[in-house]
Amino acid sequence: MTTAPLFSRLPRRRVLAAAVAVALAAGALGALAPATSASATSYPSWDDVQAAKASQAAQQAKVTEIKALLADLTTKASAAQKAAEAAGTAYQTAQTKFDEATLTHQTLQSQADEAERSAKQSEAQAGQLAAQLGRASGDDVTTDIFTHPSSSSDLLYELGAMSKLTEQADGIYAQATQDRGVAQGLADKAQSAKQALGALAEAAQAKAKQAQQASDDAQTAVDAQNDNKTRLEAQLTLLTTNEQNVEADYQKGVAAEKARLAAIAAEQARQAAAAQAAANQGGGSGNGSGGSGGGAPTSSGWVRPAGGYQTSPFGWRVDPYTHAHALHAGVDLAPGCYSPIYAAHDGTVTFAANGGGYGNEVVLDNGGGISTAYGHIVDGGILVSVGQHVSAGQQIAKIGSTGWSTGCHLHFETRVNGSAVDPVPFMAARGISV
């Protein structure tokens, strides 16, 4: 015997109430209003729908209108989300290019500095031999052989020694010249790499702004869909069935769900306040390896951004997601899915959006040229917004596996003047072990 789907066996009112709850849980409290400020689209009111039932033609026209509005909402939300994903990928690509170029420049500069030291040593040694040869050439050995034939064997030895010394000097001079050329070549490469960094940094910043805007636009489109879809579907029910009290049931469901979400928000606020109070009293812990994260800041004002052990260090590696050799510009901490992510230091949110390979990402400007980034946040797990000031130890997000990720973890970055630095020594200098 074939069993009908659950929803088809429920009374239509219960189906409608369930739809209201699902939509509102996704953030559709704006369903109380017939339209959103984010869109200039005109949506039918309940009076419009009720009036359309006066004739079959008007009723059919209104059904067609509502179905078109529903399709338009879906299309716009889908397109905006795809645009946000593309912008996030462009941002992540630009940021990666800058990070790799920065590390290349640092490597070249280190090599140039070492070559410069080697060149100076070779030149100093060559200078010493030049002085020694200068002193030796002060005596005319060839003339002494003729004027003092009795000591010619000693003089011939001196002549041979001078010849060897000259050969040695020629070799050291050649080495010094070579070292100087290498040093200059590396210095030129380092300078060229440094000059390219400015443009790459600007490109990364521009792409980040575009990704944030695209993410905001996508959220606006999704909100518009959430705000209107359930109401439009209820209006279709009113037009196409004999169901009674559809509007009243819908409004009752909206009010009940609004109250439920308000209670949840109040409880979350209470828990956040309690956690912050515990942190202020030193009740937190987890600044050691594998700790819980968060807690009271150290004397330097920093905390561990998440619990769990480090699963991948900073540096070049074969990316477990793309299988390509690439720079890993941070460290990974894996305390488990949905675990809290804390602000590592006081700061202002400069990015809270889709970051391409970083997944959902939050970036904080921590002041003094320092910034921190938190990637792979679970969908719906970003708890802050751009421009918001946060405190060290405040929860800003939840662990996820979005973007280029093979499992739930936090990708944590520390940056100085925009350049990624290894978070392990950076945080250790501030009393935190990651």
Side-chain angles (χ1 to χ4, degrees):
M1 182 176 75
T2 302
T3 303
L6 177 61
F7 270 23
S8 69
R9 291 184 280 120
L10 290 174
R12 188 177 297 273
R13 291 183 183 180
R14 291 178 62 188
V15 174
L16 180 58
V20 168
V22 170
L24 289 179
L29 290 178
L32 286 168
T36 69
S37 59
S39 173
T41 304
S42 177
Y43 293 96
S45 67
W46 287 98
D47 288 341
D48 293 336
V49 174
Q50 192 65 52
K53 298 188 73 172
S55 72
Q56 185 173 357
Q59 184 173 341
Q60 185 56 50
K62 189 60 66 176
V63 167
T64 301
E65 177 191 350
I66 291 176
K67 287 183 176 180
L69 287 170
L70 284 167
D72 184 59
L73 285 169
T74 300
T75 298
K76 287 180 177 177
S78 177
Q81 287 175 314
K82 288 181 179 178
E85 291 172 3
T89 298
Y91 152 62
Q92 180 253 336
T93 299
Q95 185 67 68
T96 298
K97 286 182 178 178
F98 171 73
D99 289 339
E100 292 181 348
T102 298
L103 198 58
T104 298
H105 165 254
Q106 292 171 348
T107 300
L108 286 170
Q109 189 61 58
S110 178
Q111 292 173 345
D113 292 343
E114 181 60 33
E116 176 68 20
R117 286 191 291 270
S118 179
K120 286 183 177 179
Q121 290 174 357
S122 296
E123 289 167 351
Q125 191 174 1
Q128 292 171 356
L129 282 174
Q132 188 175 349
L133 281 171
R135 290 193 298 272
S137 63
D139 299 321
D140 192 336
V141 178
T142 305
T143 303
D144 284 346
I145 292 176
F146 293 104
T147 58
H148 301 88
S150 62
S151 59
S152 60
S153 60
D154 294 336
L155 294 169
L156 285 172
Y157 174 81
E158 291 180 23
L159 186 61
M162 283 186 61
S163 177
K164 290 182 178 180
L165 189 61
T166 301
E167 290 177 5
Q168 184 180 3
D170 288 343
I172 292 176
Y173 272 117
Q175 183 63 48
T177 301
Q178 181 179 346
D179 288 347
R180 174 54 59 192
V182 170
Q184 188 59 54
L186 287 170
D188 291 344
K189 288 182 179 179
Q191 183 61 28
S192 296
K194 183 178 181 179
Q195 291 173 348
L197 290 179
L200 290 172
E202 290 178 1
Q205 291 171 1
K207 295 297 183 184
K209 290 181 180 179
Q210 292 170 9
Q212 183 66 59
Q213 184 60 56
S215 180
D216 292 345
D217 291 344
Q219 189 59 54
T220 297
V222 170
D223 287 345
Q225 184 183 36
N226 288 338
D227 289 351
N228 295 285
K229 182 178 179 181
T230 305
R231 187 188 67 262
L232 289 172
E233 288 175 342
Q235 289 173 339
L236 272 181
T237 298
L238 178 61
L239 285 168
T240 58
T241 72
N242 293 322
E243 184 75 27
Q244 300 296 313
N245 302 318
V246 173
E247 180 183 358
D249 290 342
Y250 169 78
Q251 297 294 1
K252 186 184 297 182
V254 168
E257 189 63 14
K258 182 179 180 182
R260 189 183 73 85
L261 293 178
I264 292 175
E267 176 60 19
Q268 289 176 337
R270 186 194 67 77
Q271 292 177 359
Q276 189 63 49
N280 293 338
Q281 295 172 4
S285 62
N287 287 337
S289 177
S292 61
T298 62
S299 58
S300 63
W302 289 76
V303 304
R304 201 172 196 267
Y309 288 91
Q310 184 186 143
T311 56
S312 186
F314 177 93
W316 293 95
R317 67 172 185 176
V318 175
D319 190 288
Y321 186 87
T322 65
H323 306 295
H325 189 252
L327 174 65
H328 186 230
V331 296
D332 292 342
L333 300 174
C337 299
Y338 307 107
S339 295
I341 299 172
Y342 305 99
H345 189 65
D346 296 353
T348 302
V349 180
T350 59
F351 186 84
N354 182 302
Y358 297 118
N360 298 320
E361 182 186 30
V362 169
V363 178
L364 303 180
D365 179 353
N366 303 109
I370 296 173
S371 62
T372 48
Y374 312 76
H376 304 309
I377 297 166
V378 68
D379 285 334
I382 294 178
L383 308 179
V384 293
S385 56
V386 171
Q388 180 179 343
H389 179 78
V390 298
S391 302
Q394 177 180 336
Q395 184 178 355
I396 59 174
K398 298 177 183 178
I399 298 285
S401 186
T402 53
W404 293 355
S405 171
T406 57
C408 289
H409 71 282
L410 165 66
H411 172 79
F412 175 61
E413 294 182 354
T414 50
R415 295 178 176 274
V416 178
N417 296 323
S419 298
V421 297
D422 189 342
V424 172
F426 178 92
M427 295 295 283
R430 290 156 178 81
I432 306 295
S433 172
V434 293

